[in-house]
PDB file of all heavy atoms in Angstrom:
ATOM      1  N   ASN A 577      -1.505  54.115 -56.959  1.00  0.00           N
ATOM      2  CA  ASN A 577      -1.180  55.545 -56.976  1.00  0.00           C
ATOM      3  C   ASN A 577      -0.291  55.918 -58.158  1.00  0.00           C
ATOM      4  O   ASN A 577       0.783  56.470 -57.993  1.00  0.00           O
ATOM      5  CB  ASN A 577      -0.517  55.973 -55.660  1.00  0.00           C
ATOM      6  CG  ASN A 577      -1.396  55.705 -54.468  1.00  0.00           C
ATOM      7  OD1 ASN A 577      -2.607  55.797 -54.563  1.00  0.00           O
ATOM      8  ND2 ASN A 577      -0.794  55.362 -53.359  1.00  0.00           N
ATOM      9  N   TRP A 578      -0.738  55.627 -59.361  1.00  0.00           N
ATOM     10  CA  TRP A 578       0.024  55.975 -60.560  1.00  0.00           C
ATOM     11  C   TRP A 578      -0.184  57.447 -60.864  1.00  0.00           C
ATOM     12  O   TRP A 578      -1.305  57.927 -60.946  1.00  0.00           O
ATOM     13  CB  TRP A 578      -0.416  55.119 -61.736  1.00  0.00           C
ATOM     14  CG  TRP A 578       0.127  53.734 -61.639  1.00  0.00           C
ATOM     15  CD1 TRP A 578      -0.373  52.705 -60.906  1.00  0.00           C
ATOM     16  CD2 TRP A 578       1.309  53.245 -62.262  1.00  0.00           C
ATOM     17  NE1 TRP A 578       0.420  51.594 -61.038  1.00  0.00           N
ATOM     18  CE2 TRP A 578       1.452  51.894 -61.870  1.00  0.00           C
ATOM     19  CE3 TRP A 578       2.252  53.804 -63.108  1.00  0.00           C
ATOM     20  CZ2 TRP A 578       2.505  51.114 -62.307  1.00  0.00           C
ATOM     21  CZ3 TRP A 578       3.299  53.007 -63.545  1.00  0.00           C
ATOM     22  CH2 TRP A 578       3.417  51.687 -63.144  1.00  0.00           C
ATOM     23  N   SER A 579       0.907  58.167 -61.041  1.00  0.00           N
ATOM     24  CA  SER A 579       0.853  59.587 -61.362  1.00  0.00           C
ATOM     25  C   SER A 579       1.429  59.807 -62.760  1.00  0.00           C
ATOM     26  O   SER A 579       1.886  58.870 -63.416  1.00  0.00           O
ATOM     27  CB  SER A 579       1.643  60.396 -60.336  1.00  0.00           C
ATOM     28  OG  SER A 579       3.009  60.043 -60.414  1.00  0.00           O
ATOM     29  N   VAL A 580       1.417  61.047 -63.194  1.00  0.00           N
ATOM     30  CA  VAL A 580       1.938  61.380 -64.519  1.00  0.00           C
ATOM     31  C   VAL A 580       3.435  61.082 -64.589  1.00  0.00           C
ATOM     32  O   VAL A 580       3.926  60.525 -65.578  1.00  0.00           O
ATOM     33  CB  VAL A 580       1.656  62.866 -64.841  1.00  0.00           C
ATOM     34  CG1 VAL A 580       2.289  63.268 -66.157  1.00  0.00           C
ATOM     35  CG2 VAL A 580       0.167  63.127 -64.874  1.00  0.00           C
ATOM     36  N   MET A 581       4.172  61.414 -63.543  1.00  0.00           N
ATOM     37  CA  MET A 581       5.619  61.158 -63.543  1.00  0.00           C
ATOM     38  C   MET A 581       5.921  59.660 -63.564  1.00  0.00           C
ATOM     39  O   MET A 581       6.887  59.229 -64.181  1.00  0.00           O
ATOM     40  CB  MET A 581       6.277  61.796 -62.319  1.00  0.00           C
ATOM     41  CG  MET A 581       6.568  63.252 -62.471  1.00  0.00           C
ATOM     42  SD  MET A 581       7.555  63.642 -63.923  1.00  0.00           S
ATOM     43  CE  MET A 581       9.070  62.789 -63.586  1.00  0.00           C
ATOM     44  N   ARG A 582       5.087  58.890 -62.922  1.00  0.00           N
ATOM     45  CA  ARG A 582       5.311  57.452 -62.911  1.00  0.00           C
ATOM     46  C   ARG A 582       5.069  56.862 -64.300  1.00  0.00           C
ATOM     47  O   ARG A 582       5.825  56.012 -64.767  1.00  0.00           O
ATOM     48  CB  ARG A 582       4.393  56.809 -61.868  1.00  0.00           C
ATOM     49  CG  ARG A 582       4.801  55.429 -61.490  1.00  0.00           C
ATOM     50  CD  ARG A 582       4.063  54.982 -60.255  1.00  0.00           C
ATOM     51  NE  ARG A 582       4.371  53.600 -59.963  1.00  0.00           N
ATOM     52  CZ  ARG A 582       3.814  52.905 -59.009  1.00  0.00           C
ATOM     53  NH1 ARG A 582       2.921  53.469 -58.221  1.00  0.00           N
ATOM     54  NH2 ARG A 582       4.126  51.656 -58.809  1.00  0.00           N
ATOM     55  N   PHE A 583       4.009  57.314 -64.989  1.00  0.00           N
ATOM     56  CA  PHE A 583       3.764  56.868 -66.357  1.00  0.00           C
ATOM     57  C   PHE A 583       4.871  57.347 -67.291  1.00  0.00           C
ATOM     58  O   PHE A 583       5.274  56.635 -68.206  1.00  0.00           O
ATOM     59  CB  PHE A 583       2.410  57.377 -66.859  1.00  0.00           C
ATOM     60  CG  PHE A 583       1.248  56.535 -66.415  1.00  0.00           C
ATOM     61  CD1 PHE A 583       0.284  57.069 -65.581  1.00  0.00           C
ATOM     62  CD2 PHE A 583       1.125  55.221 -66.826  1.00  0.00           C
ATOM     63  CE1 PHE A 583      -0.791  56.309 -65.184  1.00  0.00           C
ATOM     64  CE2 PHE A 583       0.053  54.444 -66.421  1.00  0.00           C
ATOM     65  CZ  PHE A 583      -0.902  54.990 -65.594  1.00  0.00           C
ATOM     66  N   LEU A 584       5.384  58.547 -67.047  1.00  0.00           N
ATOM     67  CA  LEU A 584       6.469  59.071 -67.871  1.00  0.00           C
ATOM     68  C   LEU A 584       7.736  58.233 -67.697  1.00  0.00           C
ATOM     69  O   LEU A 584       8.413  57.909 -68.679  1.00  0.00           O
ATOM     70  CB  LEU A 584       6.736  60.535 -67.517  1.00  0.00           C
ATOM     71  CG  LEU A 584       7.770  61.256 -68.361  1.00  0.00           C
ATOM     72  CD1 LEU A 584       7.285  61.368 -69.796  1.00  0.00           C
ATOM     73  CD2 LEU A 584       8.032  62.635 -67.797  1.00  0.00           C
ATOM     74  N   ARG A 585       8.060  57.864 -66.459  1.00  0.00           N
ATOM     75  CA  ARG A 585       9.213  56.994 -66.214  1.00  0.00           C
ATOM     76  C   ARG A 585       9.039  55.630 -66.886  1.00  0.00           C
ATOM     77  O   ARG A 585       9.984  55.079 -67.447  1.00  0.00           O
ATOM     78  CB  ARG A 585       9.418  56.782 -64.708  1.00  0.00           C
ATOM     79  CG  ARG A 585      10.174  57.878 -64.046  1.00  0.00           C
ATOM     80  CD  ARG A 585      10.540  57.461 -62.619  1.00  0.00           C
ATOM     81  NE  ARG A 585      10.220  58.549 -61.732  1.00  0.00           N
ATOM     82  CZ  ARG A 585       9.403  58.493 -60.702  1.00  0.00           C
ATOM     83  NH1 ARG A 585       8.834  57.378 -60.380  1.00  0.00           N
ATOM     84  NH2 ARG A 585       9.170  59.540 -59.969  1.00  0.00           N
ATOM     85  N   LEU A 586       7.828  55.113 -66.837  1.00  0.00           N
ATOM     86  CA  LEU A 586       7.556  53.824 -67.467  1.00  0.00           C
ATOM     87  C   LEU A 586       7.719  53.917 -68.984  1.00  0.00           C
ATOM     88  O   LEU A 586       8.323  53.032 -69.608  1.00  0.00           O
ATOM     89  CB  LEU A 586       6.147  53.350 -67.108  1.00  0.00           C
ATOM     90  CG  LEU A 586       5.742  51.976 -67.623  1.00  0.00           C
ATOM     91  CD1 LEU A 586       6.572  50.903 -66.935  1.00  0.00           C
ATOM     92  CD2 LEU A 586       4.263  51.744 -67.378  1.00  0.00           C
ATOM     93  N   ALA A 587       7.218  54.989 -69.583  1.00  0.00           N
ATOM     94  CA  ALA A 587       7.329  55.158 -71.029  1.00  0.00           C
ATOM     95  C   ALA A 587       8.780  55.344 -71.458  1.00  0.00           C
ATOM     96  O   ALA A 587       9.229  54.743 -72.440  1.00  0.00           O
ATOM     97  CB  ALA A 587       6.478  56.350 -71.476  1.00  0.00           C
TER      98      ALA A 587
END
Side-chain angles (χ1 to χ4, degrees):
N577 301 326
W578 284 82
S579 64
V580 175
M581 278 305 297
R582 197 167 175 185
F583 278 116
L584 184 65
R585 277 190 227 122
L586 184 67

